């Protein structure tokens, strides 16, 4: 088995190193990750300049581009053969609810999914790596299960781990995405030249954390596994939009 691993925190992130170590023995592992942190990069591809590909002393390959760049380059020219699984993470912080739209971690997995390969994004919900070993333990369980019992359809899974030791995690739940409140206000500051600049504010708190959501599972000490899809078509609005646009279709 061949596993392609990427992330959005950068090739020297602790979450990536611990994840790769936890996957040893499951097959051939190739790491292609960003040179620097690209949190919040979403699914962006770098089209305005060429990308450099280098190799670190530990064997990890790194690219001076986004998470999507890394997987895209790996899939379209860097690898000698297609991987059986694409893994992204372990991210330093949650990717739940609306976070998935911005997440570079999810984007790296989504790029593998676009190439028709089963893909999984892993995130530890609290920053600081306090219980990264617990997250890596459960990540291996999920990856090993996928390799031994492949999902019989194309899949993109978004997995979040509660920041708890192994013996306090209650299990694994299949969930839907919850929803956050709007982001908190921007944070203004000044440059040495007196120009006002802004930091993007923190993410909002959970607005939909009902039973069955990723927020609810994490709150109760469970690993959250959410299947995602990339078809953004609002199916329920197709007929109403068709009626709305009808009067001008012949103009």
């Amino acid at each position: 088995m061949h596993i392609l691993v990427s992330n959005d925190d950068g090739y020297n992130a602790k979450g990536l190193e611990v994840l790769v170590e936890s996957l040893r023995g499951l097959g051939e592992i190739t790491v292609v990750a960003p040179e620097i942190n690209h949190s919040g990069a979403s699914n962006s591809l770098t089209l305005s300049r060429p990308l450099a590909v280098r190799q670190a002393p530990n064997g990890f390959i790194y690219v001076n581009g986004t998470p999507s760049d890394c997987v895209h380059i790996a899939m379209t020219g860097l690898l000698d053969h297609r991987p059986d699984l694409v893994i992204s993470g372990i991210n330093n912080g949650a990717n739940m609810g609306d976070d998935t739209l911005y997440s570079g971690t999810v984007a790296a997995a989504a790029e593998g999914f676009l190439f028709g390969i089963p893909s999984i994004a892993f995130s530890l919900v609290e920053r600081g790596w306090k219980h990264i070993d617990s997250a890596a333990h459960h990540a291996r369980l999920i990856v090993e299960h996928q390799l031994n019992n492949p999902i019989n359809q194309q899949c993109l899974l978004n997995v979040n781990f509660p920041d708890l030791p192994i013996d306090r995690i209650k299990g694994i739940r299949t969930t839907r995405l919850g929803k956050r409140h709007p982001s908190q206000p921007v944070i203004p500051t000044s440059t040495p030249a007196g120009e006002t600049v802004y930091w993007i504010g923190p993410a909002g708190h959970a607005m939909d954390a009902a039973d069955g959501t990723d927020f609810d599972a994490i709150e109760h000490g469970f690993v959250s596994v959410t299947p995602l899809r990339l078809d953004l078509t609002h199916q329920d609005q197709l007929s109403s939009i068709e009626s709305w646009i009808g009067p001008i279709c012949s103009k």
Side-chain angles (χ1 to χ4, degrees), residues 4 24 27 33 42 44 52 66 70 78 84 95 107 120 128 139 142 149 154 157 170 191 200-201 212 221 246-247:
L4 173 63
R24 298 291 185 196
S42 189
S44 59
T66 68
C70 294
L78 192 62
D84 300 288
N95 279 307
I120 308 174
I142 293 170
N149 304 275
Q154 191 179 4
L157 302 180
K170 296 179 180 178
T191 68
I200 296 293

Side-chain angles (χ1 to χ4, degrees), residues 31-135:
V31 175
V32 184
E35 181 176 22
I36 61 173
N37 188 305
H38 276 277
S39 296
S42 189
N43 298 82
S44 59
L45 288 174
T46 302
L47 304 178
S48 59
R49 59 177 175 82
L51 296 167
V53 178
R54 301 183 176 91
Q55 189 167 35
N58 65 357
F60 289 5
I61 297 169
Y62 61 94
V63 179
N64 62 340
T66 68
S68 293
D69 288 333
C70 294
V71 176
H72 192 91
I73 285 177
M75 296 300 306
T76 59
L78 192 62
L79 300 181
D80 293 331
H81 56 283
R82 286 166 60 92
D84 300 288
L85 187 64
V86 174
I87 300 295
S88 181
I90 296 170
N91 190 60
N92 187 20
N95 279 307
M96 300 189 292
D98 307 346
D99 302 342
T100 57
L101 294 173
Y102 303 101
S103 169
T105 303
V106 174
E111 193 69 18
F113 176 77
L114 288 172
F115 280 94
I117 297 172
S119 302
I120 308 174
F122 291 122
S123 302
L124 181 58
V125 297
E126 298 293 337
R127 291 183 171 275
W129 314 118
K130 183 177 181 182
H131 294 296
I132 184 62
D133 291 338
S134 174

Side-chain angles (χ1 to χ4, degrees), residues 176 178-179 206-217 219-220:
R176 65 176 176 86
K179 187 172 180 58
M207 180 171 64
D208 177 7
D211 183 40
T213 65
D214 45 8
F215 289 106
D216 179 68
E219 177 67 24
H220 289 90

Side-chain angles (χ1 to χ4, degrees), residues 186-199:
V186 295
I187 303 168
T189 186
S190 298
T191 68
E195 178 187 10
T196 300
V197 292
Y198 299 88
W199 287 100

